[in-house]
Amino acid sequence: MKKPVALAAIAALATLSLAACSDPEPAPQNADDTNASNEEVVAGYDTSGIETVEEIANLVPQEVKDRGVLRNGASTDYAPAEFRAADGHTPVGYDIEIVKALAKVMGLEEGETQHAEFPTIIPSLGSKFDIGASSFTITAERLDQVNMVSYVEVGSSYAVKKGNPNEFNPDDPCGTTIGVQTGTYQHDYANELSEKCVADGKEKITVMPHDLNTDSVTKLIGGQYDAVLSDSTVTGYAISKKSDELEQAGDVIESEPQGIAINKADTELTEAVHKAMQYLMDEGILKEILAIYGADSAALSTSEVNPGQ
C-alpha cells in the first residue's frame, strides 16, 4: 500500500526556477534558498510499496542493472517539480519522486537525483546521468538531441507583483520587462513575442534571463520587472507560497507536453523508462505523486516516445 509520508522540512518558496548551467554538482547550501524560519512539512510519496515489473526490468541495460541506481540530472530550483529541502541540499519535488518510482518499477535499488544547471543536463546524458527529469518541454530542437518520454502537459503563465501595480497586460506585453530562466522554453517564447512586437511596430520586450528563476522572482517582487514567465505549475506553486506578494496575470498559455530526456543511443533504457512510466500512469501512481504538489491535473494518461516526431 502506497501512502504519503513526511519527506522533509521545505522552505516556503519564493525559490522556484526551471534551471541553469555548469558542470553537475551538489546543490549549494544557501540561507536565502532555505528560508529556514518559514518552513513547512511537505508530504512525500512512499515508493516502498511499488513492486518490480519483471518484463520492464528485463529491458534495463546491464550497466544500469549492475549499478542498481537510475541517475537523474535536474536543476533543483524549480518548485514544485524539483527543488531543495530546508537543508539547502536534498532534492525534493514531484520529478524527484517520479524518478524514484521509475527505479522501483525497473527493479533498481534507487532513483538518485543530482543537481545540475539546466543547459548542462542534456549534454551529460549517457555519461554522468542516465536520464534528465527536470521539467523539459518537448520541442523539435530537443528531439533532435535526445529521446523524450512524455508524462505531463504543462503550460506557461505570468506571475506579477500583487495588485499588478505596473498594469502588465499578458495579451499585449510589448514594451515591458519580463524575467525568464536561461535556456528554457519560456526564454525562447518571450524572445519570439518581442520579435513580433517589433514586427508590429511596437516597442520590444526587455527579456531578462537568469540562471535561477528565483532571481527573476526577487526582481519582480522588488519592482524591477513587470512579470516573470515560467511553467504554469511553477507559477501556481509560487503564488500559493507567496500569495501576499504575487498573483497570476492572464490564463495559462502554450500548453505543451514535458518529457524525461534520455541519450539518443540508449534505446533500451528509453524503452524501459517508457514502459515504466506507462505503468505508473496505469496504476494511478503518477497522479498520486503529482497530487501531493497540486499538479495532478498535469498528468498524461498515455506516455509516448518522441511525440510529434
Side-chain angles (χ1 to χ4, degrees), residues 3 9 11 26 30 46 67 90 117 126 137 154 158 196 212 229 236 253 255 263 265 268 275 281 287-288 294 306 308:
K3 59 184 184 299
N30 185 310
D46 183 0
R67 191 190 314 121
T90 304
E117 301 298 335
T137 300
V154 177
Y158 293 101
K196 186 176 186 305
L212 302 179
L229 182 62
I253 56 175
S255 180
N263 188 286
E268 290 180 320
K275 297 290 187 186
M281 291 175 176
K287 271 201 169 186
E288 289 174 1
N306 300 336

Side-chain angles (χ1 to χ4, degrees), residues 105-124:
V105 174
M106 294 162 65
L108 302 172
E109 296 173 13
E110 185 181 0
E112 177 185 85
T113 295
Q114 183 180 10
H115 172 76
E117 301 298 335
F118 193 66
T120 71
I121 297 171
I122 284 178
S124 299

Side-chain angles (χ1 to χ4, degrees), residues 10-277:
I10 292 176
L13 262 153
T15 56
L16 20 149
S17 171
L18 228 163
C21 63
S22 76
D23 278 337
E25 59 185 10
Q29 186 166 347
N30 185 310
D32 291 335
D33 288 341
T34 60
N35 291 322
S37 62
N38 194 16
E39 296 172 355
E40 63 170 316
V41 174
V42 171
Y45 192 84
D46 183 0
T47 60
S48 63
I50 301 177
E51 297 182 355
T52 298
V53 179
E54 291 300 334
E55 64 183 56
I56 296 175
N58 290 338
L59 298 171
V60 177
Q62 192 61 48
E63 179 185 355
V64 180
K65 286 181 184 178
D66 292 344
R67 191 190 314 121
V69 176
L70 184 64
R71 303 171 303 172
N72 176 48
S75 178
T76 53
D77 45 24
Y78 203 56
E82 49 271 328
F83 54 118
R84 302 168 202 161
D87 61 6
H89 178 80
T90 304
V92 292
Y94 65 71
D95 273 345
I96 278 69
E97 297 191 45
I98 289 168
V99 170
K100 291 178 181 178
L102 289 171
K104 294 288 287 186
V105 174
M106 294 162 65
L108 302 172
E109 296 173 13
E110 185 181 0
E112 177 185 85
T113 295
Q114 183 180 10
H115 172 76
E117 301 298 335
F118 193 66
T120 71
I121 297 171
I122 284 178
S124 299
L125 295 175
S127 54
K128 295 178 180 178
F129 303 127
D130 301 310
I131 64 173
S134 190
S135 301
F136 281 106
T137 300
I138 298 174
T139 64
E141 181 182 13
R142 285 180 180 147
L143 290 177
D144 285 341
Q145 302 172 48
V146 293
N147 290 327
M148 301 199 78
V149 174
S150 62
Y151 63 112
V152 293
E153 183 161 327
V154 177
S156 300
S157 59
Y158 293 101
V160 296
K161 195 172 180 180
K162 189 74 172 180
N164 197 10
N166 292 352
E167 299 183 349
F168 175 78
N169 181 0
D171 296 325
D172 184 15
C174 302
T176 64
T177 300
I178 298 175
V180 296
Q181 183 157 5
T182 304
T184 62
Y185 173 83
Q186 288 81 14
H187 188 181
D188 293 339
Y189 181 68
N191 281 326
E192 290 171 8
L193 286 178
S194 183
E195 290 171 5
K196 186 176 186 305
C197 288
V198 173
D200 292 343
K202 298 181 179 181
E203 190 177 347
K204 72 172 184 177
I205 297 170
T206 302
V207 180
M208 301 298 292
H210 291 272
D211 285 346
L212 302 179
N213 199 57
T214 313
D215 294 339
S216 292
V217 172
T218 299
K219 298 280 190 181
L220 173 63
I221 292 173
Q224 293 161 271
Y225 295 169
D226 297 298
V228 170
L229 182 62
S230 55
D231 279 354
S232 54
T233 50
V234 174
T235 299
Y237 192 80
I239 291 169
S240 74
K241 301 304 173 189
K242 306 292 287 186
S243 58
D244 58 334
E245 297 184 90
L246 299 172
E247 63 182 52
Q248 182 172 318
D251 298 324
V252 174
I253 56 175
E254 297 292 313
S255 180
E256 299 283 353
Q258 293 183 349
I260 308 291
I262 306 160
N263 188 286
K264 277 285 188 189
D266 289 342
T267 54
E268 290 180 320
L269 182 60
T270 299
E271 186 62 11
V273 171
H274 174 225
K275 297 290 187 186
M277 185 64 77

